[in-house]
């Protein structure tokens, strides 16, 4: 009998120390959310490189008593690297190495479309304040409209770290849903005739222009908005690796191995913030809805300004490229190409749309820097 009693005590101790003893309905709901996100990533192909580690991180975050954040280990190291703002600039280094600024330099007016797409950021900021968020929280929520996950994380860590999970998930979710969200908005604000417009071929851009731009942009933007010098500097350094012609190994590492490794850690760390305690609340629902408003508003603003530019140019600009002013590179540019080609099979808008698309990356970073300069 003593043996059975001791065995029962041991089992009770194991149960008390297990995650099952502390498992809640909220944990179950969030694990189900993680499984749904995995399905969207693998089954539907919605940004699987980003969504799958976020989804799995969400599942891991809802196992009680793991000590991920409290105890030393890889999970704590990932959490620290996010809090210490290490990952977002490294992501920007890879983005810069993958980005061709040529289309924007060939048609500098597309900078305006990248700026117009930030209109959604400030719509959402105002909406968030009306719903009771303070100005720092509202600024972090508003940046979702730029559809730029690293910038959203960077700004949120500085202004509203307690909202990191909801804001990061909303930003990356809307990045992955660009092909579903943008086309109806693009068609709503354009006519069939406008969507059929075929744009002239872009002028060639010299190597000197491609090398001078990142240097000049880094100097001007970093001096104007010091809080985003790390983001802008890494973005432009990566682009210099790409364009120099003599740093191919650095460019290859930045846009492949390094960005892939950092993406895994950043997305997984984002998912780890999605615990039931921090995610299942009314504020999260508000953030997701405000993020959708910001993203839709930015898309609409870009299309509407492109319509104005089309009129002023005598019909030489297809308004569809305005939707690419959000920062989802190159997804938003591809959507402009797809919608344009459906309207006119001879339409090739991809390179034209890349101009506002890369301008949107810079525009979102500048919007974030402006908020930091005003609110820090």
């Amino acid at each position: 009998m003593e043996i059975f009693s001791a065995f029962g005590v041991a089992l009770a101790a194991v149960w008390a120390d297990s995650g099952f003893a502390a498992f809640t309905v909220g944990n179950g709901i969030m694990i189900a959310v993680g499984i749904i996100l995995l399905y969207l990533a693998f089954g539907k192909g919605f940004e699987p490189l980003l969504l799958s580690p976020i989804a799995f991180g969400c599942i891991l975050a809802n196992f009680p008593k793991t000590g991920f954040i409290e105890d030393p280990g890889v999970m704590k190291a990932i959490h620290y690297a996010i809090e210490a703002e290490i990952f977002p600039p490294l992501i920007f280094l890879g983005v810069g190495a993958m980005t061709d600024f040529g289309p924007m330099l060939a048609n500098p007016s597309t900078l305006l479309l990248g700026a117009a797409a930030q209109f959604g950021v400030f719509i959402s900021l105002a909406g968030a304040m009306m719903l009771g968020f303070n100005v720092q929280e509202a600024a972090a929520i508003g940046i979702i409209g730029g559809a730029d996950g690293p910038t959203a994380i960077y700004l949120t860590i500085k202004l509203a770290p307690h909202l990191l999970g909801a804001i990061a998930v909303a930003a990356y979710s809307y990045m992955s849903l660009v092909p579903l969200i943008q086309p109806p908005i693009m068609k709503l604000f354009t006519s069939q005739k406008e969507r059929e417009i075929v744009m002239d071929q872009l002028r060639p851009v010299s190597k000197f222009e491609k090398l001078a731009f990142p240097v000049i942009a880094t100097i001007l933007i970093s001096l104007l908005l010091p809080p985003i010098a790390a983001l802008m500097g890494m973005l432009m350094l990566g682009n210099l690796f790409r364009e120099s012609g003599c740093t191919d190994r650095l460019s290859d590492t930045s846009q492949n191995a390094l960005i892939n490794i950092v993406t895994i850690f950043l997305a997984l760390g984002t998912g780890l913030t999605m615990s039931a305690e921090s995610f299942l609340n009314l504020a999260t629902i508000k953030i997701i809805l405000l993020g959708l408003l910001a993203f839709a508003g930015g898309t609409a603003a870009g299309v509407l300004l492109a319509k104005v530019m089309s009129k002023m140019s005598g019909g030489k600009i297809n308004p569809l490229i305005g939707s690419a002013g959000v920062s989802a590179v190159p997804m938003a540019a591809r959507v402009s190409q797809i919608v344009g080609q459906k309207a006119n099979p001879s339409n090739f808008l991809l390179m034209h749309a890349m101009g506002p698309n890369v301008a949107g990356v810079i525009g979102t970073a500048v919007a974030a820097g402006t908020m930091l300069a005003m609110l820090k």
Side-chain angles (χ1 to χ4, degrees), residues 67-139:
F68 284 157
I69 307 303
E70 298 81 11
D71 301 333
V74 66
M75 299 305 185
K76 186 172 183 178
I78 291 172
H79 184 73
Y80 171 79
I82 293 175
E83 281 191 334
E85 304 162 14
I86 295 172
F87 288 151
L90 291 177
I91 291 286
F92 263 55
L93 178 69
V95 170
M98 292 188 292
T99 301
D100 180 7
F101 287 117
M104 183 184 71
L105 296 174
N107 186 5
S109 64
T110 55
L111 278 167
L112 298 175
L113 298 177
Q118 308 313 312
F119 185 67
V121 171
F122 297 97
I123 292 176
S124 186
L125 187 152
M129 294 185 68
M130 290 173 62
L131 289 178
F133 292 98
N134 63 41
V135 66
Q136 287 84 5
E137 292 170 336

Side-chain angles (χ1 to χ4, degrees), residues 8 62 69 76 97 100 120 177 191 279 290 366:
N62 286 279
I69 307 303
K76 186 172 183 178
D100 180 7
L177 294 175
S191 66
F279 205 82
L290 285 166
V366 169

Side-chain angles (χ1 to χ4, degrees), residues 42-286:
F42 298 144
K44 296 296 184 180
F46 290 161
E47 287 291 324
L49 300 182
L50 292 171
L51 209 54
S52 57
I54 289 176
F56 207 76
C58 174
I59 294 172
L60 291 174
N62 286 279
F63 298 147
K65 301 185 178 183
T66 56
F68 284 157
I69 307 303
E70 298 81 11
D71 301 333
V74 66
M75 299 305 185
K76 186 172 183 178
I78 291 172
H79 184 73
Y80 171 79
I82 293 175
E83 281 191 334
E85 304 162 14
I86 295 172
F87 288 151
L90 291 177
I91 291 286
F92 263 55
L93 178 69
V95 170
M98 292 188 292
T99 301
D100 180 7
F101 287 117
M104 183 184 71
L105 296 174
N107 186 5
S109 64
T110 55
L111 278 167
L112 298 175
L113 298 177
Q118 308 313 312
F119 185 67
V121 171
F122 297 97
I123 292 176
S124 186
L125 187 152
M129 294 185 68
M130 290 173 62
L131 289 178
F133 292 98
N134 63 41
V135 66
Q136 287 84 5
E137 292 170 336
I141 293 168
I143 209 69
I144 295 171
D148 187 334
T151 303
I153 291 172
Y154 188 81
L155 186 65
T156 302
I157 290 169
K158 287 181 174 291
L159 296 182
H162 57 287
L163 298 180
L164 177 61
I167 289 174
V169 170
Y172 278 120
S173 295
Y174 293 133
M175 285 175 65
S176 65
L177 294 175
V178 163
L180 296 181
I181 297 173
Q182 282 199 321
I185 299 171
M186 296 160 70
K187 293 176 181 178
L188 177 64
F189 291 104
T190 57
S191 66
Q192 177 68 21
K193 185 177 179 180
E194 287 173 327
R195 294 194 291 274
E196 292 176 354
I197 294 174
V198 176
M199 297 180 65
D200 295 334
Q201 186 174 353
L202 292 169
R203 71 169 179 85
V205 177
S206 68
K207 183 174 181 178
F208 174 79
E209 291 176 277
K210 290 188 175 184
L211 289 174
F213 174 76
V215 176
I216 295 171
T218 301
I219 293 171
L220 293 179
I221 296 174
S222 297
L223 288 174
L224 180 64
L225 296 168
I228 60 163
L231 289 180
M232 196 54 55
M234 295 297 269
L235 177 72
M236 297 305 173
L237 176 61
N239 191 250
L240 281 172
F241 289 160
R242 171 194 175 92
E243 302 296 349
S244 69
C246 56
T247 52
D248 290 344
R249 287 172 55 189
L250 299 181
S251 176
D252 178 68
T253 298
S254 299
Q255 63 182 289
N256 291 296
L258 179 61
I259 196 171
N260 289 336
I261 292 169
V262 176
T263 295
I264 292 171
F265 290 153
L266 179 60
L268 180 62
T270 298
L272 289 171
T273 65
M274 296 174 63
S275 63
E277 295 80 10
S278 63
F279 205 82
L280 290 179
N281 52 60
L282 182 59
T284 298
I285 296 174
K286 291 179 181 178

